[in-house]
Amino acid sequence: MTKTYVKCLSVLICVLLLCVTFLSCSQKNAEVGKFSIDDYSYHIEKFTKDINVEKIKDADDAISKADKLFIETYGEKDMEDEKPYQAFFDEVNKCWYIKGTFEQPLFGSKKGGVAKVIFDSEGNVLALWHEK
């Protein structure tokens, strides 16, 4: 009986480890769209901030830093409704544009907008704003 118990337990542990490995390997990086910073000159002029979030490595890093910045600025409760965030990259100017998503309810309507931020690749916040 003890040998059977140990074998079953060993198989169960192996299956759990395989599942954890599969799930961690199957997580994909954030999808990245394209944008042109030239389209946001008004926002950069109007909503500039003197904040640096440190160098940005990739889209996942940009989203993580935007999330932290959004929560600090607008509050965690409000930001939960704006996830998942969308990431865009300006290849020419090496800038990131991260924005929340806004989902209309199935019935009725919901008012509001989403948080948006533009970083340069060094982590300088070029603009931070929330549409209403």
Side-chain angles (χ1 to χ4, degrees):
M1 169 111 173
T2 313
K3 285 185 177 182
T4 305
Y5 180 75
V6 170
K7 284 182 182 179
C8 287
L9 187 58
S10 297
V11 169
L12 181 61
I13 289 172
C14 287
V15 169
L16 287 173
L17 287 174
L18 284 172
C19 289
V20 168
T21 302
F22 174 76
L23 288 174
S24 65
C25 291
S26 66
Q27 291 179 345
K28 64 177 186 169
N29 293 337
E31 285 188 34
V32 179
K34 294 180 181 181
F35 89 107
S36 172
I37 197 166
D38 298 332
D39 297 335
Y40 294 90
S41 57
Y42 167 81
H43 297 88
I44 292 169
E45 183 179 317
K46 189 85 170 162
F47 304 112
T48 190
K49 299 290 181 190
D50 188 24
I51 300 171
N52 182 285
V53 296
E54 298 181 2
K55 189 170 182 128
I56 297 174
K57 297 175 250 174
D58 56 26
D60 292 327
D61 191 34
I63 288 171
S64 175
K65 290 177 179 185
D67 183 48
K68 183 177 178 188
L69 187 61
F70 291 157
I71 289 171
E72 288 173 0
T73 306
Y74 304 113
E76 189 168 2
K77 184 176 182 282
D78 291 335
M79 296 317 303
E80 283 304 313
D81 292 339
E82 296 189 22
K83 292 180 182 177
Y85 299 126
Q86 296 175 318
F88 302 88
F89 189 66
D90 179 329
E91 189 70 41
V92 174
N93 296 293
K94 308 293 185 218
C95 292
W96 290 96
Y97 170 47
I98 310 298
K99 68 177 192 165
T101 55
F102 185 80
E103 189 174 315
Q104 283 290 346
L106 188 57
F107 299 103
S109 65
K110 179 176 156 185
K111 293 182 180 179
V114 296
K116 299 179 179 191
V117 64
I118 298 175
F119 301 113
D120 66 17
S121 59
E122 295 301 313
N124 295 306
V125 176
L126 304 179
L128 172 65
W129 73 103
H130 196 290
E131 293 184 344
K132 307 243 183 234

